[in-house]
mmCIF file of all heavy atoms in Angstrom:
data_model
loop_
_atom_site.group_PDB
_atom_site.id
_atom_site.type_symbol
_atom_site.label_atom_id
_atom_site.label_comp_id
_atom_site.label_asym_id
_atom_site.label_seq_id
_atom_site.Cartn_x
_atom_site.Cartn_y
_atom_site.Cartn_z
ATOM 1 N N THR U 266 33.219 -16.729 49.269
ATOM 2 C CA THR U 266 34.031 -17.934 48.997
ATOM 3 C C THR U 266 33.162 -19.187 48.823
ATOM 4 O O THR U 266 32.042 -19.246 49.334
ATOM 5 C CB THR U 266 35.041 -18.161 50.142
ATOM 6 O OG1 THR U 266 34.324 -18.286 51.376
ATOM 7 C CG2 THR U 266 36.009 -17.002 50.249
ATOM 8 N N PRO U 267 33.687 -20.202 48.115
ATOM 9 C CA PRO U 267 32.945 -21.438 47.868
ATOM 10 C C PRO U 267 33.251 -22.502 48.923
ATOM 11 O O PRO U 267 34.102 -22.320 49.792
ATOM 12 C CB PRO U 267 33.497 -21.868 46.505
ATOM 13 C CG PRO U 267 34.936 -21.448 46.556
ATOM 14 C CD PRO U 267 34.994 -20.207 47.416
ATOM 15 N N TRP U 268 32.567 -23.643 48.782
ATOM 16 C CA TRP U 268 32.697 -24.703 49.784
ATOM 17 C C TRP U 268 33.881 -25.631 49.512
ATOM 18 O O TRP U 268 34.283 -26.389 50.388
ATOM 19 C CB TRP U 268 31.409 -25.550 49.833
ATOM 20 C CG TRP U 268 30.980 -26.052 48.480
ATOM 21 C CD1 TRP U 268 30.052 -25.472 47.662
ATOM 22 C CD2 TRP U 268 31.480 -27.189 47.760
ATOM 23 N NE1 TRP U 268 29.947 -26.165 46.484
ATOM 24 C CE2 TRP U 268 30.816 -27.239 46.523
ATOM 25 C CE3 TRP U 268 32.418 -28.179 48.053
ATOM 26 C CZ2 TRP U 268 31.055 -28.219 45.566
ATOM 27 C CZ3 TRP U 268 32.671 -29.159 47.111
ATOM 28 C CH2 TRP U 268 31.990 -29.171 45.890
ATOM 29 N N ARG U 277 43.194 -16.761 50.710
ATOM 30 C CA ARG U 277 43.747 -16.167 49.490
ATOM 31 C C ARG U 277 43.211 -14.752 49.258
ATOM 32 O O ARG U 277 43.772 -13.984 48.491
ATOM 33 C CB ARG U 277 43.394 -17.085 48.309
ATOM 34 C CG ARG U 277 44.295 -16.970 47.117
ATOM 35 C CD ARG U 277 44.101 -18.111 46.146
ATOM 36 N NE ARG U 277 42.847 -18.034 45.420
ATOM 37 C CZ ARG U 277 42.468 -18.919 44.490
ATOM 38 N NH1 ARG U 277 43.246 -19.961 44.219
ATOM 39 N NH2 ARG U 277 41.333 -18.793 43.857
ATOM 40 N N LYS U 292 31.910 -13.725 53.422
ATOM 41 C CA LYS U 292 30.744 -14.609 53.429
ATOM 42 C C LYS U 292 31.166 -15.979 52.907
ATOM 43 O O LYS U 292 31.352 -16.177 51.701
ATOM 44 C CB LYS U 292 29.609 -14.059 52.560
ATOM 45 C CG LYS U 292 28.301 -14.773 52.888
ATOM 46 C CD LYS U 292 27.390 -14.988 51.722
ATOM 47 C CE LYS U 292 27.736 -16.134 50.842
ATOM 48 N NZ LYS U 292 27.673 -17.470 51.460
ATOM 49 N N ALA U 294 30.735 -20.147 52.169
ATOM 50 C CA ALA U 294 29.638 -20.939 51.613
ATOM 51 C C ALA U 294 28.765 -21.499 52.733
ATOM 52 O O ALA U 294 29.248 -21.822 53.821
ATOM 53 C CB ALA U 294 30.199 -22.077 50.765
ATOM 54 N N GLU U 295 27.496 -21.639 52.411
ATOM 55 C CA GLU U 295 26.540 -22.130 53.410
ATOM 56 C C GLU U 295 26.925 -23.519 53.929
ATOM 57 O O GLU U 295 26.758 -23.824 55.106
ATOM 58 C CB GLU U 295 25.138 -22.197 52.771
ATOM 59 C CG GLU U 295 24.078 -22.780 53.672
ATOM 60 C CD GLU U 295 22.722 -22.900 52.983
ATOM 61 O OE1 GLU U 295 22.568 -22.388 51.854
ATOM 62 O OE2 GLU U 295 21.813 -23.500 53.591
ATOM 63 N N PHE U 344 35.308 -12.436 44.559
ATOM 64 C CA PHE U 344 34.410 -13.595 44.568
ATOM 65 C C PHE U 344 35.126 -14.826 44.023
ATOM 66 O O PHE U 344 35.807 -14.743 42.999
ATOM 67 C CB PHE U 344 33.186 -13.288 43.697
ATOM 68 C CG PHE U 344 32.283 -14.475 43.449
ATOM 69 C CD1 PHE U 344 31.415 -14.917 44.435
ATOM 70 C CD2 PHE U 344 32.315 -15.156 42.237
ATOM 71 C CE1 PHE U 344 30.581 -16.020 44.212
ATOM 72 C CE2 PHE U 344 31.488 -16.252 42.009
ATOM 73 C CZ PHE U 344 30.619 -16.683 43.002
ATOM 74 N N THR U 345 34.964 -15.936 44.682
ATOM 75 C CA THR U 345 35.366 -17.222 44.116
ATOM 76 C C THR U 345 34.145 -18.127 44.131
ATOM 77 O O THR U 345 33.533 -18.336 45.179
ATOM 78 C CB THR U 345 36.515 -17.873 44.914
ATOM 79 O OG1 THR U 345 37.655 -17.021 44.848
ATOM 80 C CG2 THR U 345 36.889 -19.225 44.326
ATOM 81 N N GLY U 346 33.812 -18.645 42.958
ATOM 82 C CA GLY U 346 32.649 -19.523 42.871
ATOM 83 C C GLY U 346 32.328 -19.798 41.417
ATOM 84 O O GLY U 346 33.192 -19.684 40.541
ATOM 85 N N SER U 347 31.086 -20.105 41.160
ATOM 86 C CA SER U 347 30.697 -20.512 39.810
ATOM 87 C C SER U 347 30.628 -19.306 38.874
ATOM 88 O O SER U 347 30.398 -18.169 39.313
ATOM 89 C CB SER U 347 29.337 -21.200 39.855
ATOM 90 O OG SER U 347 28.360 -20.286 40.332
ATOM 91 N N GLU U 368 37.159 -15.182 40.560
ATOM 92 C CA GLU U 368 37.792 -16.501 40.365
ATOM 93 C C GLU U 368 36.663 -17.486 40.128
ATOM 94 O O GLU U 368 35.974 -17.887 41.059
ATOM 95 C CB GLU U 368 38.606 -16.895 41.608
ATOM 96 C CG GLU U 368 39.760 -15.963 41.919
ATOM 97 C CD GLU U 368 40.920 -16.113 40.954
ATOM 98 O OE1 GLU U 368 40.917 -17.060 40.133
ATOM 99 O OE2 GLU U 368 41.834 -15.269 40.997
ATOM 100 N N LEU U 369 36.453 -17.845 38.860
ATOM 101 C CA LEU U 369 35.219 -18.553 38.496
ATOM 102 C C LEU U 369 35.497 -19.991 38.050
ATOM 103 O O LEU U 369 36.556 -20.547 38.316
ATOM 104 C CB LEU U 369 34.496 -17.747 37.417
ATOM 105 C CG LEU U 369 34.269 -16.272 37.790
ATOM 106 C CD1 LEU U 369 33.579 -15.515 36.668
ATOM 107 C CD2 LEU U 369 33.493 -16.130 39.089
ATOM 108 N N GLY U 370 34.553 -20.555 37.369
ATOM 109 C CA GLY U 370 34.631 -21.975 37.025
ATOM 110 C C GLY U 370 35.660 -22.267 35.935
ATOM 111 O O GLY U 370 36.201 -21.364 35.302
ATOM 112 N N CYS U 402 38.116 -26.248 40.802
ATOM 113 C CA CYS U 402 38.022 -25.481 39.554
ATOM 114 C C CYS U 402 39.165 -25.846 38.628
ATOM 115 O O CYS U 402 39.072 -25.687 37.422
ATOM 116 C CB CYS U 402 38.050 -23.995 39.861
ATOM 117 S SG CYS U 402 39.474 -23.522 40.864
ATOM 118 N N GLU U 499 31.560 -28.474 34.221
ATOM 119 C CA GLU U 499 32.480 -28.942 35.265
ATOM 120 C C GLU U 499 31.927 -30.235 35.847
ATOM 121 O O GLU U 499 30.808 -30.256 36.364
ATOM 122 C CB GLU U 499 32.568 -27.898 36.379
ATOM 123 C CG GLU U 499 33.367 -26.675 36.015
ATOM 124 C CD GLU U 499 33.504 -25.737 37.211
ATOM 125 O OE1 GLU U 499 32.463 -25.293 37.728
ATOM 126 O OE2 GLU U 499 34.633 -25.450 37.606
ATOM 127 N N PHE U 565 47.284 -16.795 40.540
ATOM 128 C CA PHE U 565 46.218 -17.754 40.239
ATOM 129 C C PHE U 565 45.050 -17.001 39.630
ATOM 130 O O PHE U 565 44.564 -16.019 40.198
ATOM 131 C CB PHE U 565 45.775 -18.440 41.532
ATOM 132 C CG PHE U 565 44.837 -19.595 41.322
ATOM 133 C CD1 PHE U 565 45.285 -20.902 41.446
ATOM 134 C CD2 PHE U 565 43.505 -19.373 40.994
ATOM 135 C CE1 PHE U 565 44.419 -21.969 41.240
ATOM 136 C CE2 PHE U 565 42.643 -20.439 40.777
ATOM 137 C CZ PHE U 565 43.096 -21.732 40.903
HETATM 138 P P1 NAP F 36 28.618 -20.904 43.905
HETATM 139 O O1 NAP F 36 27.335 -21.599 43.954
HETATM 140 O O2 NAP F 36 28.831 -19.893 42.837
HETATM 141 O O3 NAP F 36 28.811 -20.231 45.341
HETATM 142 C C1 NAP F 36 29.976 -19.525 45.676
HETATM 143 C C2 NAP F 36 29.656 -18.561 46.790
HETATM 144 O O4 NAP F 36 28.732 -17.582 46.309
HETATM 145 C C3 NAP F 36 28.983 -19.203 47.997
HETATM 146 O O5 NAP F 36 29.419 -18.558 49.161
HETATM 147 C C4 NAP F 36 27.511 -18.915 47.734
HETATM 148 O O6 NAP F 36 26.716 -18.952 48.885
HETATM 149 C C5 NAP F 36 27.619 -17.517 47.173
HETATM 150 N N1 NAP F 36 26.446 -17.092 46.439
HETATM 151 C C6 NAP F 36 25.568 -17.835 45.738
HETATM 152 N N2 NAP F 36 24.604 -17.042 45.200
HETATM 153 C C7 NAP F 36 24.890 -15.769 45.590
HETATM 154 C C8 NAP F 36 24.270 -14.513 45.375
HETATM 155 N N3 NAP F 36 23.150 -14.383 44.654
HETATM 156 N N4 NAP F 36 24.830 -13.416 45.931
HETATM 157 C C9 NAP F 36 25.947 -13.510 46.658
HETATM 158 N N5 NAP F 36 26.586 -14.677 46.909
HETATM 159 C C10 NAP F 36 26.068 -15.797 46.367
HETATM 160 O O7 NAP F 36 29.848 -21.913 43.788
HETATM 161 P P2 NAP F 36 30.137 -23.211 44.672
HETATM 162 O O8 NAP F 36 29.229 -24.291 44.218
HETATM 163 O O9 NAP F 36 30.152 -22.858 46.114
HETATM 164 O O10 NAP F 36 31.632 -23.525 44.260
HETATM 165 C C11 NAP F 36 31.962 -24.257 43.138
HETATM 166 C C12 NAP F 36 32.325 -23.331 41.991
HETATM 167 O O11 NAP F 36 33.395 -22.475 42.377
HETATM 168 C C13 NAP F 36 32.817 -24.096 40.779
HETATM 169 O O12 NAP F 36 32.295 -23.505 39.611
HETATM 170 C C14 NAP F 36 34.331 -23.900 40.857
HETATM 171 O O13 NAP F 36 34.984 -24.021 39.618
HETATM 172 C C15 NAP F 36 34.419 -22.514 41.399
HETATM 173 N N6 NAP F 36 35.719 -22.277 42.016
HETATM 174 C C16 NAP F 36 36.587 -21.450 41.379
HETATM 175 C C17 NAP F 36 37.847 -21.238 41.933
HETATM 176 C C18 NAP F 36 38.831 -20.332 41.269
HETATM 177 O O14 NAP F 36 39.793 -19.941 41.922
HETATM 178 N N7 NAP F 36 38.664 -19.979 39.998
HETATM 179 C C19 NAP F 36 38.210 -21.874 43.131
HETATM 180 C C20 NAP F 36 37.278 -22.718 43.740
HETATM 181 C C21 NAP F 36 36.035 -22.904 43.175
HETATM 182 P P3 NAP F 36 25.919 -20.338 49.254
HETATM 183 O O15 NAP F 36 26.948 -21.309 49.654
HETATM 184 O O16 NAP F 36 25.019 -19.957 50.360
HETATM 185 O O17 NAP F 36 25.179 -20.736 48.015
#
Side-chain angles (χ1 to χ4, degrees):
T266 58
W268 52 264
R277 204 166 72 179
K292 196 215 80 64
E295 176 183 352
F344 171 77
T345 298
S347 62
E368 297 287 351
L369 307 179
C402 54
E499 286 185 301
F565 189 105

